[in-house]
Amino acid sequence: AIRCRAAVAWAVGKPLSVEEVEVAPPKAGEVRIKIVATGICRTDDHVLEGCFPNVDFPVIPGHEGAGIVESIGEGVTSVKPGDKVIPLCLPQCGECSFCLNPESNYCLKSHVSESQNLLPDKTSRFTCKGQQIHHFLWVSTFAEYTVIPEYAVAKIDAAAPLDKVCLLGCGFPTGYGAAINTAKVKPGSTCAIFGVGGVGLSVVMGCKAAGASRIIAIDINKDKFAKAKELGATDCISPWDFKKPIQEVLTEMTGHGVDYSFEVIGHADTVTAALASCNMNTGVCVMVGVPASGSVISIDPMLLLSGRTWKGTLLGDWKMRDCIPKLVSSYLEKKFNSDLLITHTLPIAKVNEGFELLRAGK
């Protein structure tokens, strides 16, 4: 076993507590990874607030990391000690009917189908103060060492800077892929992005890469507009500047609504607004943000009957083990600059300060 530090969430609504934890060696089919860097994603905040489904406490959150393989369990063949890797919060077992479908990026071992609070053998590799600690999405990147099933690990280029490509574990591919893969944005089209935090900015980058002619960023925090414009937004608007619903504003700006809209917040009212803001016949609306567990959205069926398409996306529709190494290669070839999404760099001991910055919109 390895003793190391980890940020433990002991209970809902409590700040993280940096503790010494014991990380057991990997069993068959598992990989133990030294986590070098991790992003803080809004989803981790949902865990702390208790509004992310099916999480057991105490738990070590974090799911957007990068690291180096420390040791491997019996039967592991795709990685070896010393390899640089990104843990995958959406596994790819390669055997279920979804993994075998070339059009699907979902895996039946995903947390939506199967609880990932413990490893597949239903035991934990973490203990703290003699108590079992739960895993989060099998990755738990807020620990200096973590144990992950092999099919939730992707080997990446040895040249990749881990403190930068950790964002390719969740936030960047989710937003970028929502535009490229899920919506399949066409050149010359118009797009609206509701919410331009890290994931929303990644949608902006995806829309620009796809050749969209007009990219409208929508946020109540105007401090985010400069970065949105730097990454490709052509217009930036705040709903608070208008007396009418934002969908009406967007329809007036574009004639008949945008070709593609993306909801990257996870609120029922903004999902409805995003759906209503795209073209009533050929518009495509993609849900990217994660609504709180148990929330319900009510819509006027005419919004869909007229021909609109309403879609959701999981991790940007990438088959994670196949695609994340390719995205890292694209990063190294400077095909996109996800470094611009990084605003602060903190030691793990200051993880709670990171969440304060996130909640403050910074």
Side-chain angles (χ1 to χ4, degrees):
I2 288 176
R3 288 181 178 274
C4 68
R5 290 178 304 168
V8 179
W10 288 102
V12 170
K14 295 274 196 326
L16 289 161
S17 177
V18 178
E19 307 273 6
E20 183 181 79
V21 298
E22 202 166 86
V23 185
K27 294 186 184 178
E30 297 174 356
V31 181
R32 186 160 61 181
I33 296 167
K34 178 181 183 177
I35 296 292
V36 173
T38 179
I40 292 179
C41 176
R42 178 67 75 178
T43 302
D44 300 308
D45 200 33
H46 290 336
V47 172
L48 302 183
E49 291 168 349
C51 57
F52 190 82
N54 311 324
V55 175
D56 291 337
F57 289 80
V59 62
I60 298 173
H63 63 285
E64 196 177 82
I68 298 163
V69 175
E70 178 271 334
S71 58
I72 57 174
E74 187 188 336
V76 171
T77 57
S78 63
V79 294
K80 63 185 186 303
D83 283 348
K84 285 187 177 180
V85 292
I86 288 181
L88 309 175
C89 53
L90 181 63
Q92 187 185 339
C93 74
E95 296 171 355
C96 70
S97 60
F98 282 73
C99 281
L100 294 172
N101 179 348
E103 294 181 2
S104 161
N105 81 316
Y106 186 81
C107 172
L108 288 173
K109 296 200 183 298
S110 155
H111 80 280
V112 186
S113 295
E114 180 178 305
S115 169
Q116 292 174 354
N117 298 318
L118 298 168
L119 290 184
D121 70 351
K122 304 304 175 207
T123 61
S124 171
R125 302 290 164 270
F126 297 124
T127 47
C128 180
K129 301 175 179 172
Q131 187 175 346
Q132 171 183 285
I133 308 294
H134 292 93
H135 295 248
F136 176 58
L137 301 181
W138 283 340
V139 290
S140 293
T141 58
F142 289 178
E144 289 176 319
Y145 287 86
T146 186
V147 177
I148 304 175
E150 181 183 15
Y151 47 73
V153 177
K155 179 182 172 180
I156 60 170
D157 194 309
L162 297 176
D163 61 329
K164 304 291 194 287
V165 300
C166 61
L167 299 189
L168 274 58
C170 173
F172 176 76
T174 297
Y176 195 72
I180 303 270
N181 300 330
T182 313
K184 297 182 170 61
V185 169
K186 291 178 181 153
S189 59
T190 54
C191 302
I193 296 103
F194 287 71
V196 280
V199 182
L201 290 170
S202 302
V203 178
V204 171
M205 293 164 81
C207 292
K208 186 181 180 188
S213 63
R214 196 166 184 195
I215 301 169
I216 305 167
I218 302 141
D219 206 299
I220 56 174
N221 181 353
K222 292 184 179 180
D223 293 343
K224 297 190 173 178
F225 290 167
K227 184 73 63 84
K229 286 202 162 154
E230 186 182 353
L231 290 171
T234 56
D235 306 73
C236 295
I237 58 174
S238 166
W240 287 355
D241 288 344
F242 303 93
K243 289 198 164 62
K244 61 180 74 167
I246 194 69
Q247 55 265 42
E248 291 180 20
V249 175
L250 289 163
T251 302
E252 285 175 12
M253 286 172 72
T254 55
H256 296 286
V258 294
D259 298 307
Y260 305 94
S261 62
F262 301 85
E263 200 279 354
V264 203
I265 304 163
H267 287 178
D269 54 350
T270 42
V271 169
T272 311
L275 182 61
S277 68
C278 67
N279 182 298
M280 67 187 295
N281 180 229
T282 56
V284 176
C285 175
V286 181
M287 274 180 67
V288 189
V290 181
S293 179
S295 55
V296 174
I297 297 168
S298 57
I299 62 153
D300 177 351
M302 282 305 295
L303 285 173
L304 294 174
L305 198 64
S306 59
R308 283 182 179 88
T309 303
W310 191 18
K311 306 176 82 166
T313 186
L314 261 183
L315 271 296
D317 276 343
W318 305 98
K319 274 191 185 289
M320 294 293 276
R321 278 187 91 191
D322 296 344
C323 295
I324 294 304
K326 294 173 187 169
L327 272 176
V328 170
S329 298
S330 294
Y331 166 86
L332 292 171
E333 290 160 15
K334 297 191 163 44
K335 289 185 177 167
F336 53 80
N337 186 6
S338 50
D339 293 0
L340 291 169
L341 303 174
I342 300 171
T343 57
H344 299 75
T345 304
L346 301 164
I348 187 70
K350 293 188 175 177
V351 64
N352 287 313
E353 285 183 31
F355 277 95
E356 285 164 20
L357 289 163
L358 176 81
R359 291 169 192 139
K362 294 178 180 170

